[in-house]
């Protein structure tokens, strides 16, 4: 092909002229840079290579990281993992070879990405999310993505056009739920409740919410040391007291609310709930019936500014969660109850079992399906809480996702430790970038 034919084929003189005109209109101080960027934008994006590797999550357990190479740059993402995996969520593919990382290796998922997913995606436009997700779903014909592994599918990092993908929605910054006390399976103390969180709903901006939550978190350390000694373990039944006192000391009474993740499935024995399940000297006498639990929640919500309770009953105890939700005392969030599973969510909507979804995106599998699930929840006027997992990576995708979908709430742990902070810091960056356009959900956290 002659040079002239090449220029004609790519309409280069037209494109260059457009770029020069644009540079003139923009009165740019750096025309060469402006023109080269303009030209780059006029080229369609295309995936050139997909490269996965095994990394470790915050618990030292293997997970998947992917570099998505495009003609315009390389993008990196990784997948989290959690404890409360259930039979309804997308399958997390693990190698099972006990001799390697105690069976938790993800070499098969990595191989699936480097071979099958890579082959399917190379050449595609990375901005076409639904086509890309569909290509991956077509590769994995099983309903729960057991063949390729959901850890393989979600890790593929794609452009963050989430708000556009969702449709007409103005991005909003979510209210963060900072975990300030851990119990349940997540901690070595005697507290049955898995998490006590604080929600700075009274902040005007996200940056202020982060400050309020962090200050309260530091005050809480002092409250616990004074009240319970340096062993911050034994918060036990007074769990609700300490955060409330810390909120008061930080000067944020009425501006910070409290949320609980009871994760009650972990201590449901038959039809009863064993609040002493972690106590070494447990007598077995302190079992509560589901009715007693309703009463306990009622009292807690009365005594403390608790506005949200997650998994208040066993994940199969539909009867009592329905009964509790119908009291309207607080937001009732389904995590283990729903496992982010479309069919479980459908049932919960029909039966008024709960009124908010805990969204763990790796339980769903693809971004397109995550968007569908959020639509489903919002159409039912539910709250949506985007959630991290206990095994996290430094990936901050859920921060962008929360803003893009305007979910209203994000739960990403305490305001400490890199892999948790990365989500909150990404929200700071997004707020900064949005500038005057930034809207913090605040008191409208239920969206
Ligand atoms: P995970 O769940 O331990 O499965 O990540 C955390 C939660 O219960 O919210
Ligand atoms: Zn939970």
């Amino acid at each position: 092909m002659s040079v002239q034919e090449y220029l004609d084929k790519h309409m280069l003189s037209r494109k260059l002229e457009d770029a020069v005109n644009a540079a003139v209109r923009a009165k740019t101080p750096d025309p060469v840079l402006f023109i080269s960027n303009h030209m780059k934008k006029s080229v369609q994006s295309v995936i050139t290579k997909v490269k996965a590797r095994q990394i470790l999550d915050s618990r030292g357990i293997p997970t998947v990281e992917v570099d998505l190479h495009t003609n315009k740059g390389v993008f990196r993402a990784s997948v989290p993992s959690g404890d409360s995996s259930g039979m309804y969520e997308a399958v997390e593919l693990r190698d099972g070879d006990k001799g390697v990382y105690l069976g938790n290796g993800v070499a098969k998922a990595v191989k699936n990405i480097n071979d099958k997913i890579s082959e399917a995606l190379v050449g595609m436009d990375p901005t076409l999310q639904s086509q890309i997700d569909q290509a991956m779903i077509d590769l994995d014909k099983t309903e729960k993505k057991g063949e390729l592994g959901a850890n393989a599918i979600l890790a593929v990092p794609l452009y963050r056009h989430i708000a556009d993908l969702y449709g007409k929605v103005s991005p909003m910054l979510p209210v963060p739920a900072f975990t300030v006390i851990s119990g349940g399976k997540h901690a070595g103390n005697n507290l049955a409740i898995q998490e006590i969180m604080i929600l700075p709903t009274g902040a005007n901006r996200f940056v202020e919410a982060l400050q309020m939550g962090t200050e309260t978190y530091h005050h809480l350390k002092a409250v616990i040391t004074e009240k319970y000694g340096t062993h911050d373990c034994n918060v036990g039944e007074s769990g609700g007291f300490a955060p409330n006192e810390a909120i008061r000391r930080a000067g944020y009474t009425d501006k910070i609310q409290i949320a609980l993740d009871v994760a009650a499935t972990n201590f449901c024995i038959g039809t009863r709930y064993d609040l002493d399940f972690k106590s070494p000297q447990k007598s077995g006498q302190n079992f509560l019936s589901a009715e007693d639990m309703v009463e306990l929640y009622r009292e807690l919500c009365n005594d403390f500014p608790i506005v949200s309770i997650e998994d208040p009953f066993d994940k199969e105890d539909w009867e009592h969660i329905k009964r509790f939700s119908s009291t309207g005392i607080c937001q009732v969030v389904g995590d283990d109850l729903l496992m982010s599973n479309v069919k479980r969510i459908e049932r919960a909507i029909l039966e008024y079992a709960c009124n908010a979804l805990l969204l763990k995106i790796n339980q769903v599998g693809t971004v397109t399906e995550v968007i569908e699930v959020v639509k489903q929840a919002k159409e039912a006027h539910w709250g949506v809480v985007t959630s991290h997992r206990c095994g996290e990576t430094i990936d901050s995708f859920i921060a962008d996702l929360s803003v893009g979908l305007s979910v209203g709430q994000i739960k990403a742990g305490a305001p400490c430790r890199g892999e948790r902070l990365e989500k909150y810091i990404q929200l700071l960056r997004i707020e900064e970038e949005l500038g005057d356009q930034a809207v913090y959900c605040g008191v409208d956290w239920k969206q």
Side-chain angles (χ1 to χ4, degrees):
M1 188 189 299
S2 72
V3 174
Q4 191 55 51
E5 279 169 349
Y6 183 89
L7 293 177
D8 290 346
K9 178 167 184 257
H10 294 278
M11 293 186 296
L12 268 185
S13 42
R14 253 255 327 267
K15 281 182 188 156
L16 256 175
E17 204 180 310
D18 285 351
V20 172
N21 288 339
V24 172
R25 274 198 306 276
K27 297 193 178 74
T28 171
D30 196 339
V32 176
L33 184 63
F34 187 97
I35 290 168
S36 68
N37 284 338
H38 198 278
M39 293 293 284
K40 195 172 172 188
K41 267 191 222 144
S42 71
V43 178
Q44 204 197 356
S45 305
V46 56
I47 297 172
T48 53
K49 184 171 140 186
V50 184
K51 171 81 183 82
R53 65 182 64 85
Q54 175 170 297
I55 59 164
L56 297 177
D57 72 19
S58 54
R59 306 165 299 177
I61 296 176
T63 189
V64 182
E65 176 176 89
V66 170
D67 291 347
L68 183 86
H69 296 253
T70 75
N71 56 344
K72 295 189 179 180
V74 181
F75 303 86
R76 177 170 290 163
S78 48
V79 204
S81 168
D83 278 343
S84 59
S85 45
M87 59 190 292
Y88 296 97
E89 67 176 64
V91 174
E92 192 175 73
L93 187 63
R94 299 222 175 252
D95 301 335
D97 173 356
K98 292 278 177 246
V100 181
Y101 280 114
L102 293 88
N104 288 319
V106 291
K108 284 182 198 154
V110 166
K111 191 169 175 344
N112 283 335
I113 296 173
N114 288 336
D115 298 347
K116 297 185 195 162
I117 293 185
S118 171
E119 196 190 313
L121 301 193
V122 167
M124 288 184 84
D125 179 342
T127 60
L128 301 177
Q129 186 76 56
S130 58
Q131 272 101 314
I132 284 173
D133 286 347
Q134 195 55 50
M136 292 192 285
I137 292 167
D138 290 346
L139 277 179
D140 192 329
K141 289 160 207 78
T142 59
E143 191 191 342
K144 290 190 278 169
K145 306 179 179 67
E147 209 166 287
L148 294 172
N151 39 352
I153 296 183
L154 190 78
V156 179
L158 300 162
Y159 269 21
R160 310 225 165 139
H161 285 169
I162 297 158
D164 292 344
L165 294 171
Y166 187 79
K168 218 171 144 283
V169 60
S170 45
M172 285 175 115
L173 286 124
V175 169
F178 297 110
T179 310
V180 289
I181 294 182
S182 294
K185 282 208 295 190
H186 288 174
N189 54 24
N190 289 340
L191 183 65
I193 291 174
Q194 187 169 282
E195 285 175 279
I196 302 175
M197 294 164 274
I198 53 171
L199 280 65
T201 53
N204 294 312
R205 306 192 61 210
F206 181 80
V207 62
E208 198 181 310
L210 183 60
Q211 183 188 334
M212 287 164 65
T214 308
E215 286 172 6
T216 305
Y217 175 68
H218 291 298
H219 277 284
L220 179 62
K221 282 188 188 163
V223 172
I224 290 175
T225 312
E226 279 167 33
K227 181 102 180 135
Y228 307 102
T230 43
H231 300 287
D232 59 343
C233 292
N234 206 13
V235 269
E237 286 150 21
S238 311
F241 157 79
N244 203 38
E245 171 62 12
I247 293 168
R248 194 189 63 74
R249 281 197 203 179
Y252 296 128
T253 302
D254 297 333
K255 289 192 167 182
I256 295 187
Q257 322 279 351
I258 296 175
L260 306 178
D261 178 6
V262 180
T265 304
N266 293 331
F267 56 91
C268 178
I269 319 278
T271 57
R272 313 191 127 230
Y273 293 88
D274 180 9
L275 284 170
D276 282 338
F277 84 109
K278 293 199 298 178
S279 161
Q281 310 92 12
K282 66 177 187 164
S283 58
Q285 304 301 306
N286 196 16
F287 281 17
L288 294 187
S289 68
E291 277 74 25
D292 296 337
M293 293 293 281
V294 173
E295 212 30 58
L296 175 69
Y297 296 138
R298 199 191 288 279
E299 281 167 26
L300 282 170
C301 292
N302 201 34
D303 296 346
F304 304 108
I306 295 172
V307 290
S308 176
I309 301 184
E310 179 178 328
D311 287 337
F313 300 94
D314 179 75
K315 65 180 189 307
E316 301 304 336
D317 192 350
W318 291 78
E319 183 195 334
H320 290 99
I321 194 161
K322 268 193 275 192
R323 191 171 310 164
F324 181 57
S325 292
S326 71
T327 63
I329 294 174
C330 65
Q331 171 179 265
V332 181
V333 185
D335 171 12
D336 295 345
L337 175 82
L338 306 171
M339 296 170 221
S340 307
N341 175 284
V342 178
K343 289 180 187 144
R344 306 260 305 179
I345 298 170
E346 216 166 76
R347 175 174 174 195
I349 291 171
L350 281 174
E351 298 186 16
Y352 298 98
C354 59
N355 49 44
L357 163 70
L358 192 90
L359 178 66
K360 290 170 168 169
I361 59 172
N362 70 318
Q363 289 187 331
V364 182
T366 65
V367 174
T368 304
E369 289 161 292
V370 163
I371 291 174
E372 287 312 309
V373 161
V374 170
K375 279 193 179 150
Q376 188 187 8
K378 286 195 175 184
E379 272 162 24
H381 304 287
W382 277 18
V384 177
V385 189
T386 314
S387 174
H388 68 157
R389 303 302 307 268
C390 59
E392 262 301 332
T393 74
I394 53 165
D395 190 294
S396 55
F397 181 75
I398 58 166
D400 292 72
L401 185 90
S402 307
V403 177
L405 304 184
S406 296
V407 293
Q409 303 166 66
I410 186 169
K411 158 175 157 176
C416 80
R417 294 172 61 125
E419 75 281 1
R420 314 291 148 185
L421 280 170
E422 199 47 39
K423 282 74 173 166
Y424 298 131
I425 292 169
Q426 178 66 3
L427 288 166
L428 275 187
R429 296 184 195 112
I430 296 172
E431 183 167 66
E432 183 185 275
E433 196 183 301
L434 284 169
D436 292 350
Q437 305 297 309
V439 180
Y440 172 64
C441 286
V443 288
D444 296 324
W445 54 280
K446 283 187 193 157
Q447 272 307 299

